[in-house]
């Protein structure tokens, strides 16, 4: 690419490419700048618009067509987005606001006959709301998409033939197969894309106590294993700690006001065990009770439903000194704590989650040692700890049912999830088998190891190293029936935390599957996790088929390289695309019969990300840790629009 001309400082460089590729990075950045400023005076707009359109010297016919269309639009923003649409269809820019695009375009018809009379299955016909039309041949899309898989879903061959794959991701709402069925998901609302979920779909955001509260030793709070872990040199990135975090303990009213502004209907937060019971058992700290009681009241006052997680990793340090989860009394300790919480809050809270991600606090904390308490225990001890965790879960469910009337109860594991590399039945079965497999080396990240006892009443038998297999066999043989009866308490839904998945394909030899390689350059989040929205169709589908319960996404999100821009905003376009694409896959799962209750984005705020410290930002809201100033990111504003449009059209 070579620069075509010199432009004012507010625009980068105009790049000219051959015929099919009109402009590259210059227009992309200039137009993103225009998108950011929803309010822009007409004189400034006309100047920028003139500068940009002047660059299209080699496409005069298209430029005249564009100007004609733009002149018919009444608002400045619509004209800007019309121009962006033109550049997108010519592959000049790769990111754009689809919602605003859809406010201009009535629909996109796929397939037809080109100007030479040849059938072109990738031909796009844009039908605008003002009655005009535009066409684009599909050669560029065909080249871009030829190596990509078909649409996700068991009905994809019927509903989404190859002719629609080329534009399915870009235009998910308004397109038809020529003479065929609609392949879009969702429905058209008042200028926004409206997703087809159940009418009472939960639009939420989630946090955890240690990650946001701060006030580590204020008002009688006791120490947790994470307080102790952070004090050990080299354990947490940058020597970071949770002493202040997001100062939510002192700023909860401001944060609830932010939730209300975004429009979330539910807030999932955790209670800090040693804030309620400083020694882990015995004496109750009334200051801790008051803090969470005030937070719950503030949420209810703002019409936000509280979802309370009883345990999200901040185990009382004094109980750890007594053996922690390895102590045979540890299930009762947790049950007693659950009793205190549900008696204090059960009159106002109906939604409780017992335990968050045992895969991490047992596996990473006690088997690998990279999370608190940071000690590597023998396999047999870790299996016993995990068993005590699940028994504590059972006792907590009993406490919730006794003290919170009309309660809804779940728990929130994570795990390794897989999706089929192709839609062949063999690959689908291979992905399902891999998802629920248990191996002796990675047992602690297995979904089945932690969920089969809770929902099916038994532990699965793993495969792998013979020596370790003997340990598993001995453990399973010694599990009491009464323990399993306690663990298998009836739950109302399957809660699932999931951030990424991986492709799997069939192989003839054992174990019947193998990992498929990601292509070179596959997108990743800032923390290095692959972006795989495909898995958000298969993950809830596999869970629903195995455990026969509705599915609630209790955590989903991504870290991004967020920063406050000179205009004061945080323009996290990648996060918007992440949320959108994952929700669309959830929507497809719902269309195929999976009961999807809702979605909690992780996280409401940038926060302390455990061993990563403050190095990664997952939040919808940017936190300046030096000043504690909160700034809504573009993703929060987008999420707000999505939620509002859903509410207006349900």
């Amino acid at each position: 690419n070579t620069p075509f001309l010199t432009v004012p400082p507010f625009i980068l460089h105009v790049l000219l490419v051959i015929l099919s590729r009109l402009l590259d990075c210059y227009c992309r950045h200039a137009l993103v700048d225009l998108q950011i400023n929803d309010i822009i005076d007409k004189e400034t707009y006309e100047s920028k618009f003139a500068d940009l359109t002047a660059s299209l010297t080699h496409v005069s016919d298209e430029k005249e067509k564009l100007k004609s269309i733009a002149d018919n639009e009444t608002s400045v923003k619509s004209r800007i987005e019309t121009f962006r649409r033109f550049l997108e269809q010519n592959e000049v820019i790769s990111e754009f606001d689809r919602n605003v695009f859809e406010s201009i375009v009535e629909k996109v018809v796929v397939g037809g006959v080109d100007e030479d009379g040849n059938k072109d299955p990738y031909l796009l016909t844009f039908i605008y709301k003002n009655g005009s039309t535009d066409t684009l041949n599909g050669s560029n899309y065909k080249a871009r998409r030829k190596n990509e898989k078909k649409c996700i879903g068991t009905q994809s061959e019927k509903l989404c033939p190859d002719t629609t794959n080329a534009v399915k991701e870009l235009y998910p709402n308004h397109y038809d197969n020529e003479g065929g069925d609609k392949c879009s998901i969702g429905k058209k609302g008042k200028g926004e894309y409206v997703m087809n979920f159940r009418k009472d779909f939960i639009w939420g955001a989630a946090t955890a106590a240690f990650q946001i509260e701060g006030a580590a030793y204020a008002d009688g709070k006791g120490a947790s294993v994470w307080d102790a872990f952070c004090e050990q040199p080299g354990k947490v990135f940058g020597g970071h700690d949770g002493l202040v975090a997001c100062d939510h303990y002192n700023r909860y009213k401001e944060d609830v006001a932010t939730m209300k502004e975004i429009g979330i209907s539910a807030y999932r937060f955790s209670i800090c065990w040693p804030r309620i019971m400083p020694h882990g058992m015995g004496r109750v700290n009334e200051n801790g009770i008051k803090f969470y009681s005030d937070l719950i009241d503030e949420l209810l006052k703002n019409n936000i439903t509280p979802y309370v997680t009883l345990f999200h990793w901040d185990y009382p340090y004094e109980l750890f000194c007594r053996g922690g989860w390895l102590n045979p009394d540890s299930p009762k300790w947790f049950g007693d704590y659950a009793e205190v919480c549900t008696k204090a809050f059960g009159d106002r809270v109906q939604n409780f989650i017992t335990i968050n991600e045992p895969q991490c606090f047992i596996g990473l904390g006690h088997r690998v040692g990279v999370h608190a308490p940071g000690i590597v225990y023998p396999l047999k001890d870790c299996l016993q700890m995990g068993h005590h965790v699940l028994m504590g879960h059972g006792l907590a469910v009993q406490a919730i049912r006794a003290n919170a009337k009309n309660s809804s109860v779940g728990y929130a594991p994570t795990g390794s999830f897989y999706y089929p590399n192709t839609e062949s039945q063999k690959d689908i079965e291979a992905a399902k088998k891999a998802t629920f497999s248990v191996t002796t080396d990675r047992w602690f990240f297995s979904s089945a190891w932690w969920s089969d006892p809770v929902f099916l009443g038994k532990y699965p038998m793993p495969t792998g190293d013979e020596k370790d297999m003997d340990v598993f066999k001995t453990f399973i043989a010694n599990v009491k029936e009464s323990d399993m009866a306690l663990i298998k308490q009836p739950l109302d839904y399957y809660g699932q935390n999931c951030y990424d998945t991986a492709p799997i394909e069939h192989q003839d030899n054992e174990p019947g599957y193998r990992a498929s390689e990601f292509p070179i350059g596959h997108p990743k989040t800032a923390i290095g996790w692959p972006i795989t929205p495909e898995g958000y169709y298969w993950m809830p589908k596999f869970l629903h088929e195995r455990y026969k319960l509705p599915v609630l996404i209790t955590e989903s999100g991504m870290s991004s390289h967020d920063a406050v821009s000179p205009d004061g905003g945080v323009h996290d376009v990648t996060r918007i695309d992440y949320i959108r694409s994952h929700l669309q896959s959830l929507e497809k799962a719902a269309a195929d019969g999976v009961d999807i209750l809702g979605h909690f984005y992780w996280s409401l705020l940038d926060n302390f990300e455990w061993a990563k410290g403050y190095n990664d930002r997952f939040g919808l809201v940017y936190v300046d840790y030096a000043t504690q100033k909160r700034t809504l990111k573009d993703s929060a504003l987008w999420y707000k629009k999505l939620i509002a449009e859903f509410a207006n059209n349900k």
Side-chain angles (χ1 to χ4, degrees):
N1 296 341
T2 57
F4 177 68
L5 52 87
T6 302
V7 295
F10 60 83
I11 299 177
L12 301 178
H13 289 90
V14 176
L15 303 178
L16 182 64
V17 291
I18 332 180
L19 296 177
S20 66
R21 297 181 180 273
L22 306 177
L23 299 171
D24 203 345
C25 293
Y26 154 64
C27 280
R28 181 183 305 122
H29 289 289
L31 292 168
V32 167
D33 179 61
L34 292 182
Q35 177 194 9
I36 288 164
N37 295 284
D38 289 344
I39 300 174
I40 180 171
D41 65 272
K42 190 168 184 177
E43 182 178 349
T44 303
Y45 161 72
E46 295 289 359
S47 173
K48 291 186 178 184
F49 187 82
D51 288 339
L52 291 168
T53 53
S55 302
L56 302 175
T57 56
H58 290 274
V59 285
S60 57
D61 291 342
E62 287 81 358
K63 185 171 65 175
E64 288 303 314
K65 185 188 303 180
L66 164 69
K67 190 174 187 306
S68 173
I69 294 169
D71 286 342
N72 286 328
E73 301 294 341
T74 57
S75 71
V76 168
K77 185 173 181 180
S78 293
R79 293 178 66 186
I80 293 172
E81 294 305 325
T82 301
F83 186 57
R84 288 170 54 70
R85 190 273 313 155
F86 169 76
L87 295 180
E88 170 57 31
Q89 74 179 48
N90 285 281
E91 295 194 281
V92 177
I93 60 174
S94 60
E95 301 280 355
F96 70 103
D97 187 329
R98 300 172 197 169
N99 292 327
V100 179
F101 169 80
E102 290 175 359
S103 73
I104 298 170
V105 178
E106 186 67 29
K107 67 177 180 178
V108 182
V109 177
V110 183
V113 178
D114 65 19
E115 58 188 8
D116 297 323
N118 299 317
K119 189 172 182 180
D120 182 359
Y122 290 87
L123 183 74
L124 307 183
T125 301
F126 296 83
I127 302 176
Y128 302 98
K129 291 182 179 179
N130 63 13
S132 61
T133 61
D134 194 5
T135 59
L136 173 69
N137 72 59
S139 59
N140 290 334
Y141 290 98
K142 184 176 181 180
R144 184 201 299 178
R145 301 283 292 175
K146 66 180 181 179
N147 292 323
E148 303 236 353
K149 299 187 291 293
K150 294 182 179 180
C151 302
I152 300 168
T154 56
Q155 300 298 316
S156 62
E157 294 216 9
K158 176 182 177 183
L159 296 179
C160 304
D162 287 341
T163 56
T164 65
N165 287 347
V167 292
K168 182 172 177 58
E169 285 187 11
L170 292 179
Y171 311 112
N173 196 23
H174 306 297
Y175 67 92
D176 297 318
N177 291 318
E178 188 176 51
D181 296 327
K182 265 196 171 182
C183 191
S184 62
I185 303 294
K187 60 183 179 181
K188 184 177 171 183
K190 299 173 183 177
E192 296 287 346
Y193 178 83
V194 183
M195 293 189 167
N196 280 342
F197 291 118
R198 49 189 292 163
K199 291 182 179 180
D200 58 351
F201 187 81
I202 301 160
W203 296 96
T207 64
F210 189 84
Q211 295 178 268
I212 68 167
E213 284 180 2
Y217 299 104
D219 297 334
K221 175 188 170 292
S224 75
V225 293
W226 271 96
D227 290 311
F229 189 73
C230 291
E231 293 176 359
Q232 300 178 51
K235 294 294 187 180
V236 177
F237 174 85
H240 298 169
D241 57 44
L243 293 176
V244 177
C246 304
D247 197 30
H248 176 73
Y249 187 79
N250 297 305
R251 298 170 183 266
Y252 72 91
K253 288 188 177 181
E254 175 188 351
D255 292 335
V256 172
T258 298
M259 299 175 212
K260 184 177 182 179
E261 182 178 355
I262 297 172
I264 64 174
S265 59
Y267 174 51
R268 180 186 169 215
F269 64 96
S270 73
I271 294 176
C272 173
W273 186 347
R275 196 180 294 283
I276 297 295
M277 304 174 78
H279 306 291
M281 58 182 177
R283 181 176 65 84
V284 174
N285 177 23
E286 293 302 327
N287 289 326
I289 295 288
K290 183 180 185 304
F291 168 69
Y292 292 109
S293 184
D294 290 347
L295 172 59
I296 290 165
D297 288 345
E298 190 71 14
L299 290 167
L300 294 174
K301 185 172 74 175
N302 287 277
N303 298 314
I304 299 170
T305 302
Y307 275 70
V308 171
T309 303
L310 293 175
F311 181 68
H312 197 134
W313 306 4
D314 40 2
Y315 196 78
Y317 183 71
E318 289 196 23
L319 293 187
F320 165 71
C321 293
R322 292 172 177 257
W325 289 112
L326 192 56
N327 191 310
D329 290 334
S330 59
K332 185 178 183 302
W333 295 340
F334 186 66
D336 291 345
Y337 158 68
E339 184 82 10
V340 170
C341 290
T342 53
K343 282 184 175 179
F345 313 125
D347 59 332
R348 289 157 293 163
V349 176
Q350 280 73 51
N351 300 283
F352 285 92
I353 293 169
T354 57
I355 288 172
N356 186 82
E357 295 184 353
Q359 288 92 339
C360 293
F361 69 82
I362 293 297
L364 298 181
H366 297 82
R367 185 61 177 153
V368 181
V370 295
H371 277 192
I375 300 173
V376 177
Y377 286 78
L379 173 60
K380 66 181 181 64
D381 289 349
C382 288
L383 295 178
Q384 193 62 51
M385 289 181 198
H387 187 62
H388 289 158
V389 167
L390 296 183
M391 291 176 66
H393 154 81
L395 290 171
V397 174
Q398 292 178 347
I400 295 166
R401 299 295 190 197
N403 299 315
K405 304 306 178 186
N406 303 313
S407 57
S408 177
V409 188
Y411 105 117
T414 184
S416 300
F417 284 91
Y418 303 93
Y419 61 89
N421 192 47
T422 72
E423 288 197 3
S424 71
Q425 193 59 38
K426 285 187 175 182
D427 278 3
I428 292 172
E429 291 303 317
K432 186 186 300 185
K433 184 176 182 181
T435 291
F436 297 112
S437 66
V438 184
T439 58
T440 56
D441 59 337
R442 290 281 293 173
W443 63 274
F444 53 84
F445 257 102
S446 163
S447 296
W449 182 260
W450 299 99
S451 292
D452 279 12
V454 171
F455 297 101
L456 304 181
K458 61 181 180 180
Y459 283 102
M461 185 60 72
T463 59
D465 178 79
E466 289 188 11
K467 183 178 179 181
D468 287 343
M469 281 290 295
D470 290 339
V471 177
F472 278 94
K473 290 176 181 178
T474 300
F475 165 76
I476 293 174
N478 290 327
V479 170
K480 299 176 182 178
E481 289 187 11
S482 58
D483 289 356
M484 298 312 300
L486 174 61
I487 291 169
K488 189 177 179 287
Q489 297 294 310
L491 297 180
D492 297 293
Y493 55 85
Y494 190 106
Q496 184 62 54
N497 297 357
C498 184
Y499 292 82
D500 63 90
T501 54
I504 285 288
E505 59 190 57
H506 169 79
Q507 68 174 14
D508 291 331
N509 56 313
E510 288 297 325
Y513 58 84
R514 65 185 174 201
S516 300
E517 294 294 327
F518 286 113
I520 295 174
H522 185 88
K524 294 181 179 180
T525 65
I527 206 170
W529 300 343
I531 298 176
T532 53
E534 303 94 325
Y536 257 61
Y537 171 83
W538 295 102
M539 175 265 293
K541 185 176 176 64
F542 290 160
L543 292 174
H544 186 66
E545 290 173 353
R546 187 177 183 90
Y547 300 118
K548 316 298 183 188
L549 282 173
V551 175
L552 175 62
I553 302 303
T554 40
E555 286 183 25
S556 169
M558 67 163 288
S559 67
S560 183
H561 294 295
D562 301 328
V564 178
S565 297
D567 64 3
V570 180
H571 308 304
D572 54 338
V573 177
T574 305
R575 182 173 287 108
I576 293 174
D577 190 62
Y578 178 98
I579 301 172
R580 176 195 288 116
S581 60
H582 284 68
L583 283 173
Q584 287 172 344
S585 288
L586 274 184
E587 191 180 32
K588 294 166 191 170
D592 272 2
V594 180
D595 189 2
I596 307 292
L597 297 181
H599 167 268
F600 285 89
Y601 178 79
W602 182 273
S603 169
L604 174 71
L605 305 171
D606 291 338
N607 57 57
F608 178 86
E609 285 296 336
W610 306 113
K612 297 287 186 179
Y614 299 100
N615 190 51
D616 285 281
R617 294 181 177 271
F618 280 79
L620 294 170
V621 179
Y622 183 93
V623 178
D624 183 330
Y625 298 113
T627 65
Q628 292 298 332
K629 180 182 177 181
R630 273 78 160 139
T631 302
L632 268 65
K633 302 177 186 178
D634 285 359
S635 58
L637 301 174
W638 177 85
Y639 202 42
K640 175 180 179 178
K641 291 179 182 179
L642 185 69
I643 294 169
E645 195 65 23
F646 181 85
N648 291 335
N649 289 272
K650 66 182 180 182

